[in-house]
Amino acid sequence: MRTITSIKNAKNSEKLVMITAYDALFAAIFNNKTDMILVGDSLNMSFNYAGDTLSVSTDMMIYHTKAVCKGAPDTFVITDMPFGAYLSEQAALKNCTRIYQETNSNAVKIEGGKERANIVKSLTRNSIAVMGHIGLMPQFVRSEGGFKIKGKDDESTQKLIDDARAIEDAGAFCIVLEGVKEDAGKAVTKAVSIPVIGIGAGRYTDGQVLVWSDMLGFFEKFRPKFVKQYLNGADLVKKAVEQYAEDVKSGKFPNDEFIY
Ligand code: KIV
């Protein structure tokens, strides 16, 4: 199982792989298959069909993290801190302490750059491991008027670099970089000595993360450009359920094999 040290040491030597999970069933399938599992607040969109991640609560994240930790006891698990749970150092400490005390999560993830560095610092100084998240930050969707790709010009790229450095200086062990042009992804990755895990950030980051229901083809509402679909999950399940319904209606199931 990964540790903070082995994740940090992976920089410049191997690519890191992260996947999201929201429940024990799928976490058990993913256990030991990736370096890290993120209990992402994306669960609100893919699991709960909300339009954004903003209505997630700390209680919800605790519920889902407990399930994921049970299913994947051998994988490094990170809990996404929900919108509103880290508006001040005090609130962040209180809510992240709950995550550590009520679940087996190994770390928390916080969205925000320079402006959130004081929060990251206060958490890491109090023994809470923090993964940063910069670039396209889904929790800023309403204040920014949509999901906006970053790093399109020098100024925006420099801001990403400054944000990444501030988060690193504050003690984060790793950073998620989402929705940026590939050149910006490369520049940010080069600018810090902790691993940068990309999602829609091009080829040059230290690793990749994908949302499980996107990459396995279960989420059908939309597919972002950066998602490679490794399975047609929804189609496979639909075919299986249709077959089950047909078998029951035709009397094919249950047959001798399935009765006491
Ligand atoms: O909530 C989430 O799943 C995330 C990933 C997209 C990185 O933050």
Side-chain angles (χ1 to χ4, degrees), residues 18 20 22 38 40-43 80 109 111 133 138 176 178 199 209 211:
M18 184 159 83
T20 66
Y22 313 133
L38 171 69
D41 61 356
S42 54
L43 63 87
D80 225 354
K109 178 165 81 59
E111 288 186 16
H133 183 155
V176 165
E178 178 168 359
I199 173 161
V209 53
V211 168

Side-chain angles (χ1 to χ4, degrees), residues 138-154:
Q139 291 178 12
F140 288 65
V141 63
R142 294 191 202 168
S143 63
E144 292 189 352
F147 296 106
K148 305 277 192 230
I149 301 299
K150 303 284 166 58
K152 287 184 172 174
D153 54 34
D154 288 351

Side-chain angles (χ1 to χ4, degrees), residues 114-125:
K114 244 177 167 176
E115 76 288 357
R116 291 263 162 79
N118 64 314
I119 306 269
V120 175
K121 194 173 207 165
S122 143
L123 290 169
T124 54
R125 281 194 171 165

